[in-house]
Amino acid sequence: MRQRRLDSVTLEVVRGQLQGIVEEMGELVMRCGHTVFIKETQDFVVAIMTPDGEVAACSQQTGIWIAIGLAFDTVIDQGGPYHPGDVWITNDPEQSGGLVTHLPDTFCWRPVFHDGELICFVGAFVHCTDVGGLVPGSVAPRATSQFEEGIVMPITRLVAGDEIQSPILDIYLRNSRIPEKNRGDILAMLGTLRRAETRIHHLLSKIDGPTFSDSLLDVLEYAEDQAAEVIADIPDGDHVFWDYLEGDLIPGGRPVRIMLTLRVRGNTMTLDFSGTDPQVAAAYNIPSYSRDGHYLLVLGVVNYMRTVKPDIVYNSGLVRSVKIEAERGCILNPEPHAAAGARQATFFRVADVVLGALAIARGDQVPAVGCGQGAIMLVSAPSLDGTARLVSIAQPLVGGSGARHHDDGTEGVDFTTGFYRNIPAEVLETEVPVIVEQYGLRPGSGGPGRTRGGAGLAYSLRFLTPATYITARGLERFEFQPWGRDGGDPGGSGGAWLEDPAGEEAYLGKIDLLEVPMGSVVRFDTAGGGGLGPAYERDPALVLRDVEDGLVPPAQAEQSFGVVIVDGVVDTRATEDARRVLKDAAPPAQPFAFGPKRAAHERQWPDLWQRAVNDATSHAPPMIRQHVRGQLTDACDAEGVTGRGWGEDRARRWLFERTESLLAQLDPFERSTIVEPVR
């Protein structure tokens, strides 16, 4: 434990004051924002940072839970010189060194001075609903580069001496389909930063500048010490786990593997993503620049810390001891200008992978996995009078959480994606010409288990105007189900359907951009969470309650849980017989139940071959690596080599030779030797 600069009482008083300031900041952004994504879903972050850009306090009551690990140091260093009344702005992933991870997230930061000295920064980002690009809402999974995703604002002084530089703001807004609503969200953020400075000056009227500065450092170190205690309680070792993004909207259509070695040594932790698949020519890349403690890669770690120690101090000190290893060119650390608009699908899967590795290390503390989806549905429609085009988020499409050891999963809300607040139907219907026809829980979608996975959602919209388009970025778990734990079953998968005005229904699969005929209904089912423990061990009274609540169909009660219900009552003898049959037929309980689709994929593509393909193509130029990799995997499938039982050396040699042959067809110069990259 470090020696504090301040005594405990003073530190706690000042920490409470700082927390009060950021909570007020969050309330102001939410109440003054113009788009539903700010005022309802609350996709924003507010924070107080040290002069070096480390987040010392951030809101816990409003906004989204990804402030921990935000690193403003790069943008602070590239901005300036700083003067009172300045605000700087950017949404540039490259220039910000991974602070920005997709273009809608627009960051601003304001210096705070005391007695002529820079004492801290206040900062925020808001997700601007539209910043230009290929599609309304700016996020198209099929985008192949950042240049298709909207305007990029380099690090720029937006406000000087409390005067907005109108030409700069006008350029930014001119590239949006909804400039006035974006203006409202930006002004809400600017007003909030100014209020935060006023509140900090009020605090500085009670304490001196050195005490304030010491408090920022002490509160970060306090969180760091608490996090070290949590990490030290995880067994030392290399805990390996992987999961997949589904490849429906990625060229080649193949799943993308995210592989993690969770390396714990004492009170330090490394998230080593070696073996993760390369970046893709689609909008799923995360430009993290492999920053230690990067906020989109540590979400699962932070959630774990806050679960096992609910009163832990909430700031970036929590992840000072969390190192990141993500090699350049992988989907978690792509080359510059990679498309990244739908990167939330990827960081939610990263959180699931972290959860899986923690389940191996501390299975007694970790639940089954939830839906792992935070898809954002957006509607672009002409107004009813036909004079304007309306653009609005319709709903975050989340699902159920995984079952816990001593309780079921939560219904319709996942632990990982639960910071997305829903948009009330009445609010949405005033924003765009749609009718919410269904918004409820999906019967039978929670994974059966001794404790049951939370149910997914059923959500339907009817569209009232022609020329209406929707996007639904980040749809996942349509094929690879949320995994169950210790004999529990995986959660039910999701899907999307279109019902035309005549009542004919067609399966849509993943949606990129879809024009919806007037009068049609689009229906989404989201995944349920995985179950934990054998379902035949669940208390029959709880199964009966689930049936009465409409969460478990009677047929599933008997087939999955072995509970026979007759005339609304559990038939005890028939239930005992049914459970005996289920128990006798059950295979030995495995730590994880992934479902048939993933099992089939890994039979065709074992771990050895997945790693070897990445190694064989690692020296291909980044711009063509995905093409070469696709050709190589197609050749593997065509010749059936992955199922021949070859050893690692033979598999690697075959892959390297075939890769060189493919590269030679693309290279105008002779490639006379095979060069294996250093592994």
Side-chain angles (χ1 to χ4, degrees), residues 141-177:
R142 63 187 168 92
T144 59
S145 78
Q146 185 186 95
F147 300 105
E148 299 170 322
E149 296 187 310
I151 186 173
V152 179
M153 287 289 292
I155 295 171
T156 305
R157 194 192 314 263
L158 176 62
V159 179
D162 282 323
E163 293 292 329
I164 295 175
Q165 309 301 290
S166 295
I168 294 170
L169 185 58
D170 290 346
I171 291 171
Y172 181 77
L173 297 177
R174 180 63 180 82
N175 286 271
S176 171
R177 295 170 175 86

Short mmCIF file of all heavy atoms in Angstrom, two decimals, residues 141-177:
data_model
loop_
_atom_site.label_atom_id
_atom_site.label_comp_id
_atom_site.label_asym_id
_atom_site.label_seq_id
_atom_site.Cartn_x
_atom_site.Cartn_y
_atom_site.Cartn_z
N PRO A 141 -21.41 -1.82 -41.44
CA PRO A 141 -20.48 -2.93 -41.29
C PRO A 141 -19.66 -3.22 -42.55
O PRO A 141 -18.52 -3.65 -42.46
CB PRO A 141 -21.41 -4.10 -40.94
CG PRO A 141 -22.56 -3.46 -40.24
CD PRO A 141 -22.76 -2.16 -40.97
N ARG A 142 -20.24 -2.94 -43.73
CA ARG A 142 -19.53 -3.26 -44.98
C ARG A 142 -18.49 -2.23 -45.37
O ARG A 142 -17.80 -2.41 -46.38
CB ARG A 142 -20.53 -3.40 -46.11
CG ARG A 142 -21.30 -2.13 -46.44
CD ARG A 142 -22.40 -2.40 -47.46
NE ARG A 142 -23.34 -1.29 -47.59
CZ ARG A 142 -23.21 -0.31 -48.46
NH1 ARG A 142 -22.18 -0.29 -49.30
NH2 ARG A 142 -24.11 0.65 -48.53
N ALA A 143 -18.35 -1.14 -44.61
CA ALA A 143 -17.31 -0.16 -44.93
C ALA A 143 -15.94 -0.84 -44.89
O ALA A 143 -15.65 -1.64 -44.01
CB ALA A 143 -17.35 1.00 -43.94
N THR A 144 -15.10 -0.51 -45.86
CA THR A 144 -13.79 -1.16 -45.94
C THR A 144 -12.66 -0.27 -45.46
O THR A 144 -11.54 -0.73 -45.30
CB THR A 144 -13.50 -1.60 -47.38
OG1 THR A 144 -13.52 -0.45 -48.24
CG2 THR A 144 -14.52 -2.61 -47.86
N SER A 145 -12.94 1.02 -45.23
CA SER A 145 -11.91 1.91 -44.70
C SER A 145 -12.57 3.06 -43.97
O SER A 145 -13.77 3.33 -44.14
CB SER A 145 -11.00 2.45 -45.81
OG SER A 145 -11.65 3.50 -46.51
N GLN A 146 -11.79 3.74 -43.19
CA GLN A 146 -12.27 4.90 -42.43
C GLN A 146 -12.82 5.98 -43.34
O GLN A 146 -13.73 6.73 -42.94
CB GLN A 146 -11.10 5.44 -41.59
CG GLN A 146 -11.41 6.56 -40.65
CD GLN A 146 -10.14 7.07 -40.01
OE1 GLN A 146 -9.55 8.04 -40.49
NE2 GLN A 146 -9.69 6.41 -38.95
N PHE A 147 -12.33 6.07 -44.55
CA PHE A 147 -12.74 7.14 -45.45
C PHE A 147 -14.20 7.00 -45.89
O PHE A 147 -14.78 7.94 -46.43
CB PHE A 147 -11.81 7.18 -46.67
CG PHE A 147 -10.38 7.42 -46.30
CD1 PHE A 147 -9.46 6.39 -46.33
CD2 PHE A 147 -9.95 8.67 -45.88
CE1 PHE A 147 -8.15 6.60 -45.97
CE2 PHE A 147 -8.64 8.88 -45.51
CZ PHE A 147 -7.73 7.85 -45.54
N GLU A 148 -14.79 5.85 -45.65
CA GLU A 148 -16.20 5.64 -45.97
C GLU A 148 -17.12 5.90 -44.78
O GLU A 148 -18.33 5.73 -44.90
CB GLU A 148 -16.41 4.21 -46.46
CG GLU A 148 -15.61 3.88 -47.72
CD GLU A 148 -15.65 2.40 -48.04
OE1 GLU A 148 -15.62 1.58 -47.10
OE2 GLU A 148 -15.71 2.06 -49.22
N GLU A 149 -16.55 6.30 -43.65
CA GLU A 149 -17.32 6.32 -42.41
C GLU A 149 -17.68 7.72 -41.91
O GLU A 149 -18.37 7.83 -40.89
CB GLU A 149 -16.55 5.56 -41.32
CG GLU A 149 -16.39 4.10 -41.67
CD GLU A 149 -15.79 3.27 -40.55
OE1 GLU A 149 -14.74 3.69 -40.01
OE2 GLU A 149 -16.36 2.23 -40.22
N GLY A 150 -17.25 8.76 -42.61
CA GLY A 150 -17.66 10.09 -42.20
C GLY A 150 -16.50 11.06 -42.11
O GLY A 150 -15.36 10.76 -42.45
N ILE A 151 -16.81 12.25 -41.60
CA ILE A 151 -15.80 13.29 -41.46
C ILE A 151 -14.83 12.94 -40.33
O ILE A 151 -15.22 12.36 -39.31
CB ILE A 151 -16.45 14.66 -41.20
CG1 ILE A 151 -15.39 15.77 -41.21
CG2 ILE A 151 -17.25 14.66 -39.90
CD1 ILE A 151 -15.97 17.17 -41.12
N VAL A 152 -13.56 13.29 -40.53
CA VAL A 152 -12.54 13.13 -39.50
C VAL A 152 -12.06 14.51 -39.09
O VAL A 152 -11.59 15.29 -39.92
CB VAL A 152 -11.35 12.28 -40.00
CG1 VAL A 152 -10.29 12.15 -38.90
CG2 VAL A 152 -11.82 10.91 -40.46
N MET A 153 -12.20 14.83 -37.81
CA MET A 153 -11.74 16.11 -37.27
C MET A 153 -10.40 15.91 -36.59
O MET A 153 -10.30 15.21 -35.58
CB MET A 153 -12.75 16.65 -36.26
CG MET A 153 -14.02 17.19 -36.85
SD MET A 153 -13.79 18.75 -37.73
CE MET A 153 -13.38 19.84 -36.39
N PRO A 154 -9.33 16.48 -37.14
CA PRO A 154 -8.05 16.41 -36.43
C PRO A 154 -8.13 17.19 -35.12
O PRO A 154 -9.12 17.88 -34.85
CB PRO A 154 -7.07 17.05 -37.41
CG PRO A 154 -7.92 17.95 -38.25
CD PRO A 154 -9.26 17.29 -38.36
N ILE A 155 -7.11 17.06 -34.30
CA ILE A 155 -7.08 17.77 -33.02
C ILE A 155 -7.08 19.27 -33.28
O ILE A 155 -6.15 19.80 -33.89
CB ILE A 155 -5.86 17.33 -32.21
CG1 ILE A 155 -5.98 15.85 -31.85
CG2 ILE A 155 -5.70 18.18 -30.96
CD1 ILE A 155 -4.74 15.25 -31.22
N THR A 156 -8.14 19.94 -32.85
CA THR A 156 -8.40 21.33 -33.24
C THR A 156 -8.97 22.09 -32.05
O THR A 156 -9.76 21.55 -31.28
CB THR A 156 -9.43 21.37 -34.40
OG1 THR A 156 -8.96 20.55 -35.48
CG2 THR A 156 -9.64 22.80 -34.89
N ARG A 157 -8.58 23.38 -31.95
CA ARG A 157 -9.18 24.24 -30.93
C ARG A 157 -10.56 24.67 -31.41
O ARG A 157 -10.70 25.39 -32.39
CB ARG A 157 -8.30 25.47 -30.69
CG ARG A 157 -8.67 26.25 -29.41
CD ARG A 157 -7.98 27.62 -29.35
NE ARG A 157 -6.59 27.55 -29.69
CZ ARG A 157 -5.57 27.49 -28.83
NH1 ARG A 157 -5.84 27.46 -27.54
NH2 ARG A 157 -4.33 27.45 -29.23
N LEU A 158 -11.59 24.20 -30.71
CA LEU A 158 -12.97 24.52 -31.07
C LEU A 158 -13.46 25.78 -30.37
O LEU A 158 -14.27 26.53 -30.92
CB LEU A 158 -13.89 23.34 -30.73
CG LEU A 158 -15.38 23.53 -30.97
CD1 LEU A 158 -15.68 23.78 -32.45
CD2 LEU A 158 -16.17 22.33 -30.46
N VAL A 159 -12.99 26.00 -29.16
CA VAL A 159 -13.40 27.15 -28.36
C VAL A 159 -12.15 27.87 -27.88
O VAL A 159 -11.22 27.24 -27.36
CB VAL A 159 -14.26 26.72 -27.15
CG1 VAL A 159 -14.67 27.95 -26.32
CG2 VAL A 159 -15.49 25.94 -27.60
N ALA A 160 -12.11 29.16 -28.06
CA ALA A 160 -10.98 29.99 -27.60
C ALA A 160 -11.54 31.14 -26.77
O ALA A 160 -12.39 31.89 -27.25
CB ALA A 160 -10.17 30.53 -28.78
N GLY A 161 -11.09 31.24 -25.51
CA GLY A 161 -11.59 32.30 -24.65
C GLY A 161 -13.10 32.24 -24.49
O GLY A 161 -13.77 33.28 -24.43
N ASP A 162 -13.63 31.04 -24.43
CA ASP A 162 -15.07 30.78 -24.29
C ASP A 162 -15.88 31.25 -25.50
O ASP A 162 -17.11 31.39 -25.40
CB ASP A 162 -15.63 31.40 -23.00
CG ASP A 162 -15.31 30.56 -21.78
OD1 ASP A 162 -15.34 29.32 -21.91
OD2 ASP A 162 -15.01 31.12 -20.72
N GLU A 163 -15.23 31.46 -26.63
CA GLU A 163 -15.91 31.80 -27.88
C GLU A 163 -15.78 30.63 -28.85
O GLU A 163 -14.66 30.23 -29.20
CB GLU A 163 -15.33 33.06 -28.51
CG GLU A 163 -15.56 34.33 -27.71
CD GLU A 163 -17.04 34.72 -27.68
OE1 GLU A 163 -17.74 34.43 -28.67
OE2 GLU A 163 -17.48 35.29 -26.67
N ILE A 164 -16.92 30.08 -29.27
CA ILE A 164 -16.89 28.97 -30.23
C ILE A 164 -16.37 29.46 -31.57
O ILE A 164 -16.79 30.52 -32.07
CB ILE A 164 -18.30 28.36 -30.40
CG1 ILE A 164 -18.77 27.73 -29.09
CG2 ILE A 164 -18.32 27.32 -31.51
CD1 ILE A 164 -20.19 27.21 -29.13
N GLN A 165 -15.44 28.73 -32.14
CA GLN A 165 -14.91 29.04 -33.47
C GLN A 165 -15.90 28.49 -34.50
O GLN A 165 -15.82 27.34 -34.93
CB GLN A 165 -13.52 28.44 -33.65
CG GLN A 165 -12.55 28.77 -32.52
CD GLN A 165 -12.35 30.27 -32.38
OE1 GLN A 165 -11.75 30.92 -33.24
NE2 GLN A 165 -12.87 30.85 -31.29
N SER A 166 -16.83 29.33 -34.89
CA SER A 166 -17.97 28.88 -35.70
C SER A 166 -17.58 28.20 -37.00
O SER A 166 -18.21 27.20 -37.39
CB SER A 166 -18.90 30.06 -35.98
OG SER A 166 -19.47 30.53 -34.78
N PRO A 167 -16.57 28.69 -37.74
CA PRO A 167 -16.23 27.99 -38.99
C PRO A 167 -15.84 26.53 -38.77
O PRO A 167 -16.15 25.66 -39.60
CB PRO A 167 -15.05 28.80 -39.54
CG PRO A 167 -15.26 30.17 -38.96
CD PRO A 167 -15.79 29.94 -37.59
N ILE A 168 -15.17 26.26 -37.65
CA ILE A 168 -14.77 24.88 -37.38
C ILE A 168 -15.99 24.02 -37.09
O ILE A 168 -16.15 22.92 -37.65
CB ILE A 168 -13.78 24.84 -36.19
CG1 ILE A 168 -12.48 25.53 -36.59
CG2 ILE A 168 -13.52 23.40 -35.75
CD1 ILE A 168 -11.53 25.75 -35.44
N LEU A 169 -16.88 24.51 -36.24
CA LEU A 169 -18.08 23.75 -35.94
C LEU A 169 -18.95 23.59 -37.18
O LEU A 169 -19.54 22.52 -37.41
CB LEU A 169 -18.87 24.44 -34.83
CG LEU A 169 -20.12 23.70 -34.32
CD1 LEU A 169 -19.76 22.32 -33.81
CD2 LEU A 169 -20.83 24.52 -33.25
N ASP A 170 -19.00 24.62 -38.02
CA ASP A 170 -19.82 24.55 -39.23
C ASP A 170 -19.32 23.48 -40.19
O ASP A 170 -20.12 22.77 -40.83
CB ASP A 170 -19.85 25.91 -39.93
CG ASP A 170 -20.66 26.95 -39.17
OD1 ASP A 170 -21.40 26.55 -38.25
OD2 ASP A 170 -20.52 28.15 -39.47
N ILE A 171 -17.99 23.34 -40.32
CA ILE A 171 -17.43 22.30 -41.19
C ILE A 171 -17.85 20.93 -40.68
O ILE A 171 -18.27 20.05 -41.45
CB ILE A 171 -15.90 22.41 -41.25
CG1 ILE A 171 -15.49 23.68 -42.02
CG2 ILE A 171 -15.29 21.16 -41.91
CD1 ILE A 171 -14.02 23.98 -41.96
N TYR A 172 -17.74 20.74 -39.38
CA TYR A 172 -18.11 19.46 -38.79
C TYR A 172 -19.59 19.15 -39.03
O TYR A 172 -19.95 18.05 -39.47
CB TYR A 172 -17.79 19.49 -37.30
CG TYR A 172 -18.09 18.21 -36.56
CD1 TYR A 172 -17.24 17.12 -36.67
CD2 TYR A 172 -19.20 18.11 -35.74
CE1 TYR A 172 -17.51 15.94 -35.99
CE2 TYR A 172 -19.48 16.94 -35.06
CZ TYR A 172 -18.63 15.86 -35.19
OH TYR A 172 -18.90 14.70 -34.52
N LEU A 173 -20.44 20.12 -38.78
CA LEU A 173 -21.88 19.89 -38.88
C LEU A 173 -22.35 19.79 -40.33
O LEU A 173 -23.34 19.11 -40.62
CB LEU A 173 -22.64 21.00 -38.16
CG LEU A 173 -22.39 21.09 -36.65
CD1 LEU A 173 -23.14 22.28 -36.07
CD2 LEU A 173 -22.81 19.81 -35.94
N ARG A 174 -21.64 20.45 -41.24
CA ARG A 174 -22.04 20.41 -42.66
C ARG A 174 -21.95 19.00 -43.22
O ARG A 174 -22.61 18.67 -44.21
CB ARG A 174 -21.14 21.35 -43.47
CG ARG A 174 -21.43 21.39 -44.96
CD ARG A 174 -22.84 21.93 -45.24
NE ARG A 174 -23.13 21.97 -46.66
CZ ARG A 174 -23.54 20.92 -47.38
NH1 ARG A 174 -23.70 19.74 -46.78
NH2 ARG A 174 -23.80 21.06 -48.66
N ASN A 175 -21.19 18.14 -42.58
CA ASN A 175 -21.03 16.76 -43.05
C ASN A 175 -22.01 15.79 -42.40
O ASN A 175 -21.91 14.58 -42.61
CB ASN A 175 -19.59 16.29 -42.79
CG ASN A 175 -18.61 16.92 -43.74
OD1 ASN A 175 -18.35 16.40 -44.81
ND2 ASN A 175 -18.07 18.08 -43.36
N SER A 176 -22.96 16.30 -41.63
CA SER A 176 -23.93 15.45 -40.96
C SER A 176 -25.28 15.55 -41.65
O SER A 176 -25.66 16.60 -42.16
CB SER A 176 -24.07 15.87 -39.49
OG SER A 176 -25.15 15.20 -38.88
N ARG A 177 -26.03 14.46 -41.59
CA ARG A 177 -27.40 14.46 -42.11
C ARG A 177 -28.37 15.15 -41.16
O ARG A 177 -29.48 15.49 -41.56
CB ARG A 177 -27.85 13.01 -42.35
CG ARG A 177 -27.07 12.29 -43.46
CD ARG A 177 -27.42 10.80 -43.46
NE ARG A 177 -26.79 10.08 -44.55
CZ ARG A 177 -25.55 9.56 -44.51
NH1 ARG A 177 -24.83 9.70 -43.40
NH2 ARG A 177 -25.05 8.92 -45.54
#
